Amino acid sequence: EPYTLNPGFQAACVKHPILQFACHQNPKPLGLGANSGDCWVLVSTEEFADSCLYQEPMSTFKQDGSITYVPQEEEYLRADPARSMLEAFLEITKGLRADASVLTPKVIYSRCQRWGAAYPRQRGPAAPTPSGFEVRGRCWSHRDLGVCLVGDYICPEETQHFESAALSGVEGAKQILQDLGLTN
């Protein structure tokens, strides 16, 4: 039977040298459900991410000054820093778990993604709005389909960051509720 960590919170900002944020994915609409174990998203601190990028850069610089993007390889995504982030999360939640006898829950899947927008960075122009969609604040909406596209890449701010992505999601939810006539 899958183990549920149940540390007593669904999302938290934490003060730790490796982690800054943790979010439980199961409670989301169309989430994994109660009997599927746990799914957590962990966001590292900017300092930890920068140290990882220093060790294994996302780009290489050629002698002619051009930059070549280095793709995210499976080996990197399943190695450290994912392991370091998981260990930090388990350390933080150790005293909060519903079943204190389980020292280390069995991890079925772990993957790390290099998400540059998790930290404030200057950005280029916003992505082009797809056909049939309209810009509605921090999201794009297709009223006929009842769909909103959200994400940091849509936001009009001059800086992309984690908060932009979250605010875009909130804006998209509000627009859908408004289109359904459930709010003003």
Side-chain angles (χ1 to χ4, degrees):
E1 181 175 315
Y3 174 77
T4 301
L5 189 63
N6 192 14
F9 61 87
Q10 300 303 319
C13 293
V14 295
K15 204 169 193 169
H16 190 275
I18 293 176
L19 293 181
Q20 71 166 334
F21 181 74
C23 180
H24 193 206
Q25 297 296 290
N26 296 53
K28 292 184 349 182
L30 303 175
L32 299 173
N35 295 323
S36 61
D38 274 350
C39 179
W40 288 85
V41 171
L42 308 175
V43 178
S44 78
T45 61
E46 186 171 1
E47 293 78 17
F48 179 74
D50 283 345
S51 72
C52 293
L53 291 174
Y54 179 77
Q55 294 169 21
E56 190 170 347
M58 291 177 69
S59 304
T60 57
F61 297 90
K62 295 183 178 180
Q63 286 184 341
D64 66 2
S66 63
I67 300 172
T68 303
Y69 173 72
V70 177
Q72 297 185 45
E73 300 291 336
E74 283 296 315
E75 182 179 300
Y76 167 82
L77 297 173
R78 293 183 193 269
D80 200 276
R83 183 173 35 258
S84 296
M85 292 174 67
L86 175 61
E87 288 171 2
F89 180 67
L90 293 174
E91 172 191 320
I92 290 166
T93 60
K94 185 177 6 180
L96 303 173
R97 296 188 201 136
D99 184 352
S101 67
V102 178
L103 297 178
T104 305
K106 180 180 179 184
V107 176
I108 297 169
Y109 182 78
S110 174
R111 182 177 177 147
C112 197
Q113 178 185 354
R114 293 175 169 179
W115 183 35
Y119 311 104
R121 303 281 192 241
Q122 287 304 112
R123 64 174 268 164
T129 308
S131 176
F133 284 82
E134 64 179 293
V135 176
R136 292 175 76 187
R138 291 185 166 108
C139 68
W140 296 332
S141 174
H142 195 299
R143 293 178 197 242
D144 295 337
L145 297 176
V147 172
C148 280
L149 300 179
V150 300
D152 56 282
Y153 65 98
I154 294 171
C155 292
E157 289 90 4
E158 291 184 18
T159 306
Q160 282 182 307
H161 49 81
F162 182 64
E163 184 180 4
S164 296
L167 292 172
S168 179
V170 169
E171 181 74 23
K174 287 179 180 177
Q175 295 297 341
I176 289 172
L177 290 172
Q178 183 179 346
D179 291 349
L180 293 172
L182 299 174
T183 63
N184 297 340

